[in-house]
Amino acid sequence: MTLADEARATVLALRRAVPQRAGIAVRTMTCVALPLAIGVAAGHPQSGATASFGGLASLYVPQSPYRYRARVVAAVGAGLAIAVLIGAVAGRWTPVAATVTALAAGIASFVCQAAELPPPRELMLIMALLAATAVPAGLDGAAQRAGLAAVGAVFAWLVTMSPALSRRRRSLPERRAVVAALAAVAGLLDTVGTDQVPAARHAAVESVRRARTTVAQGDVPPGDPLARAVIAAEALLEGALHIEVEASGRLRPDWAIAIRALIPAVTGGQIPATPLCGSGPPPTPLRGSGPPPTPLRGSGPPPTPLRGSGPPPAAIPLVRAIEDARADLSGDEPVLAERAALGGRPGLVPQIAAALRRHSVVLPSAARIGIAVGLGVAIGRALGLGHAYWIGLTAAAVLQASNLMITRRRVVHRLAGTVIGVGLAFAILGWHPPIWLVVIVVAVFQGLVELVIATNYGVAVAGVTVLALLLYHVAAPGQEAIAVTIGSRLADTAIGAVLALVLRRLLWPRATLRRLPGVQALTLQATSRVLAQAWAQQPEPQLLADRRRALQGALAVLRAVHADAAADTGLSSRSTDTAWPVSAGIEELARLALSWPAYRPRPQPAQAAQLRHHLEELASAITEARPPGTTIPALPGQPLTAAATAALTSAVMDAERPRQPADPSLRR
């Protein structure tokens, strides 16, 4: 992609993001700029700058459900105040400052990653911590500054939660997530029979999983229409996956239209009463299909019975899911009440416990960031730099990247954005504007950063650089020449970027690759559990639903870890990646498990037990780097599952073959 192409893509993405993020940008502008303006008006600009650090809590989860947002913003606000306190107390002595900042940054990174906080994750906590070390104070002074940060955080909480006062907007985040899930399932049906279906399948599974998480974060009660809508989306996904498995070509658009027609019911409208199926050209045949699907409930004549002369067997789950969703979301008797409950959201303690397991990549990532921050402080002070904390902050920002390839890209964006940012800052401060005008510019750039942060990292870095320099100028006007401050920012950024690259290469560079087999094994075991319950003689709906949800989460982790492992090892294509066939085989088997329909005859209990035993042996072989010790079981009547199992077994054996020692007789 050329620079012009990237610029056009950024502009288009920004135009799409502005309508959704404009309100967020205004709120973050208010939370950061207003405390600063009050401090300047009161003649205490440094106090205003300290309070604005607490306002940074408004940057977190701005599009999440309000109940979840209230907890996260409050926790981050408390963390920012504690970071200011610790940094100010520890900043006086270099060895103590380096050690304390390393520990605090590592802990903050670990907790934020374990809790799956989106960007800026731990970065704002580290920035408050490092900035406080630059102006050390005694315990009383540090407590006073922490109190100012806490006041700013309370103000940020109030501003962030203010949209919840409107009843119409109170459930907006949950509705958006459910709408996105329904649209993604419809998008999957649109791509059936094309080479775009793998990406669309992944997007649909992820969107439904995200909708379920969002509704759980909002503490939506079980009988609420939004909870029923998520359950409907799960049933629709199950039916769509099954029809995608069975289809021999493109589907007609009626299927996707029928699912998109459910969206108005989620947003407060009515489901269209026009016929959605049964018109247009004949559908593409499915394996073992019969007549084309019948019209949906409420869309014309009564539907043909699902069995017998109705739709083909492969379409039954999706037709039934669409009919049930229409009836339920239209306000009729809730036919989905018999389906499995959504369950609650995971607490922080289970999330931390999961992050401490050996297959998790959270611990090495957090340790790497903590070490980078501590070394940044030590290097900056050893070199006598006036803004030593910028080194650690730059290194932490770069090391938030999940793999080496993204880290390199972030270094380029960080350097380019810093150069552009210091140029803009010099243009603003070079003519010594009045301080009130600088405060206004701070507000404007804060809003711009919030608009572009999800669109282009390099552009966001330029805005953040301007913000940092302007805030320093407001907090300490006249203490240092503008040219010196700008030059220090450039030098510190370059040192921090180099430090991040070196540490990424030296500290656990293959941590993700070493954990990939464990993640593959866990996903395969989750697949085995789903098949075991789906093939049970009397499946338990709640247990099957919970296992399918767990498998969806495991698949998301597998995809992310595999992509990062491949990028860390410099693999440019999947053909050179010996681990990819194993991950692909697991995903294929998981796809069949997620789409297994209730109408299909189940294997005999002995056959099901043999397959589960074989899958468990494959999981052990993957983690122990050895060939499997069992043979592929016979699965009569299950050709797709048998083929997927055979392909996965072959992939595991091929992946382990290069690791086996060569035959001594072949050595010379």
Side-chain angles (χ1 to χ4, degrees):
M1 178 181 289
T2 64
L3 186 60
D5 292 336
E6 187 171 350
R8 279 194 294 270
T10 300
V11 171
L12 290 175
L14 185 58
R15 289 176 62 182
R16 289 193 297 266
V18 165
Q20 292 186 358
R21 300 191 67 86
I24 299 171
V26 171
R27 291 196 294 272
T28 56
M29 286 169 56
T30 303
C31 294
V32 173
L34 189 58
L36 186 65
I38 293 174
V40 169
H44 300 284
Q46 189 175 40
S47 298
T50 302
S52 68
F53 275 121
L56 295 173
S58 63
L59 299 176
Y60 286 79
V61 294
Q63 294 177 303
S64 293
Y66 287 100
R67 289 178 180 271
Y68 177 70
R69 193 186 309 180
R71 294 188 290 266
V72 171
V73 174
V76 171
L80 288 167
I82 293 171
V84 170
L85 177 66
I86 293 174
V89 172
R92 188 164 299 176
W93 304 280
T94 297
V96 175
T99 303
V100 170
T101 54
L103 288 173
I107 293 172
S109 179
F110 177 81
V111 173
C112 289
Q113 290 186 68
E116 299 180 3
L117 284 187
R121 225 170 64 188
E122 70 277 354
L123 193 59
M124 297 299 104
L125 297 167
I126 293 175
M127 185 169 74
L129 173 73
L130 293 177
T133 62
V135 189
L139 189 58
D140 291 342
Q144 182 180 7
R145 285 158 58 186
L148 290 170
V151 170
V154 171
F155 176 67
W157 189 92
L158 293 173
V159 172
T160 301
M161 296 300 297
S162 59
L165 295 174
S166 169
R167 180 181 294 272
R168 185 180 64 85
R169 296 179 61 86
R170 199 168 297 165
S171 60
L172 183 60
E174 293 93 326
R175 290 200 303 270
R176 282 177 173 169
V178 175
V179 167
L182 294 174
V185 174
L188 169 61
L189 294 172
D190 285 333
T191 63
V192 169
T194 72
D195 57 358
Q196 299 174 348
V197 72
R201 184 196 314 132
H202 176 67
V205 172
E206 270 298 282
S207 295
V208 172
R209 189 176 74 90
R210 196 176 300 117
R212 185 171 60 248
T213 300
T214 302
V215 169
Q217 288 174 344
D219 295 332
V220 175
D224 189 271
L226 282 172
R228 297 202 304 269
V230 173
I231 296 174
E234 289 184 324
L236 292 166
L237 174 63
E238 181 182 328
L241 288 173
H242 180 62
I243 222 170
E244 182 251 318
V245 168
E246 297 290 337
S248 58
R250 297 294 301 270
L251 301 175
R252 76 181 180 203
D254 289 15
W255 296 104
I257 291 173
I259 293 179
R260 290 191 177 97
L262 301 171
I263 291 178
V266 178
T267 57
Q270 297 293 323
I271 299 176
T274 54
L276 297 173
C277 286
S279 61
T284 299
L286 305 175
R287 294 187 183 93
S289 64
T294 55
L296 299 177
R297 180 183 300 174
S299 61
T304 304
L306 291 176
R307 302 187 186 276
S309 61
I316 289 175
L318 184 57
V319 170
R320 179 171 292 161
I322 294 174
E323 291 179 346
D324 288 351
R326 287 178 65 88
D328 196 57
L329 298 179
S330 296
D332 298 343
E333 184 180 352
V335 297
L336 297 183
E338 298 179 359
R339 289 186 58 83
L342 283 179
R345 56 182 176 83
L348 182 59
V349 173
Q351 288 177 316
I352 290 177
L356 287 171
R357 293 172 186 160
R358 61 180 181 178
H359 68 272
S360 173
V361 297
V362 171
L363 193 57
S365 173
R368 196 184 293 123
I369 288 175
I371 292 171
V373 169
L375 283 178
V377 171
I379 291 172
R381 294 196 176 192
L383 295 177
L385 300 177
H387 305 278
Y389 68 91
W390 282 344
I391 298 176
L393 184 61
T394 298
V398 171
L399 288 174
Q400 279 191 325
S402 58
N403 61 61
L404 185 57
M405 188 180 299
I406 301 177
T407 299
R408 291 169 177 164
R409 194 181 306 140
R410 278 202 163 200
V411 166
V412 175
H413 286 175
R414 195 83 189 178
L415 293 174
T418 299
V419 171
I420 295 172
V422 296
L424 291 172
F426 186 78
I428 295 169
L429 299 175
W431 58 283
H432 304 288
I435 194 167
W436 60 265
L437 184 59
V438 176
V439 173
I440 293 175
V441 176
V442 166
V444 171
F445 270 91
Q446 178 61 56
L448 291 175
V449 167
E450 192 58 39
L451 287 176
V452 303
I453 190 67
T455 303
N456 188 289
Y457 180 72
V459 176
V461 168
V464 170
T465 300
V466 176
L467 273 175
L469 293 171
L470 295 184
L471 285 171
Y472 177 79
H473 176 77
V474 171
Q479 287 193 10
E480 186 177 74
I482 296 171
V484 174
T485 303
I486 288 176
S488 299
R489 178 72 179 189
L490 285 172
D492 295 342
T493 299
I495 296 172
V498 172
L499 176 64
L501 276 178
V502 171
L503 293 179
R504 192 64 180 81
R505 280 288 192 182
L506 295 180
L507 297 179
W508 309 288
R510 300 172 70 84
T512 306
L513 183 62
R514 285 196 296 269
R515 283 160 173 77
L516 177 58
V519 175
Q520 290 174 329
L522 288 174
T523 308
L524 184 54
Q525 289 169 342
T527 303
S528 175
R529 286 191 289 269
V530 171
L531 287 174
Q533 186 57 220
W535 289 356
Q537 296 304 306
Q538 293 183 337
E540 298 180 29
Q542 182 67 57
L543 184 57
L544 179 59
D546 290 341
R547 288 183 175 183
R548 278 182 165 148
R549 291 161 184 166
L551 177 55
Q552 290 174 7
L555 281 172
V557 174
L558 174 61
R559 277 228 166 187
V561 171
H562 187 102
D564 288 341
D568 282 342
T569 53
L571 299 175
S572 58
S573 68
R574 288 176 175 173
S575 62
T576 59
D577 182 0
T578 57
W580 169 246
V582 177
S583 294
I586 293 172
E587 285 195 19
E588 176 62 19
L589 199 58
R591 176 175 72 119
L592 298 176
L594 290 173
S595 64
W596 182 266
Y599 73 84
R600 175 165 289 175
R602 299 174 176 84
Q604 294 298 319
Q607 297 169 349
Q610 289 175 0
L611 178 63
R612 180 164 189 182
H613 177 64
H614 181 65
L615 295 182
E616 292 292 338
E617 172 62 19
L618 285 178
S620 299
I622 291 171
T623 55
E624 297 170 11
R626 60 172 176 80
T630 56
T631 58
I632 303 172
L635 292 172
Q638 311 296 333
L640 296 179
T641 305
T645 304
L648 175 59
T649 303
S650 176
V652 172
M653 296 179 68
D654 290 343
E656 303 308 330
R657 190 169 293 128
R659 306 185 194 183
Q660 303 304 313
D663 189 342
S665 63
L666 300 178
R667 295 177 182 172
R668 296 290 186 266

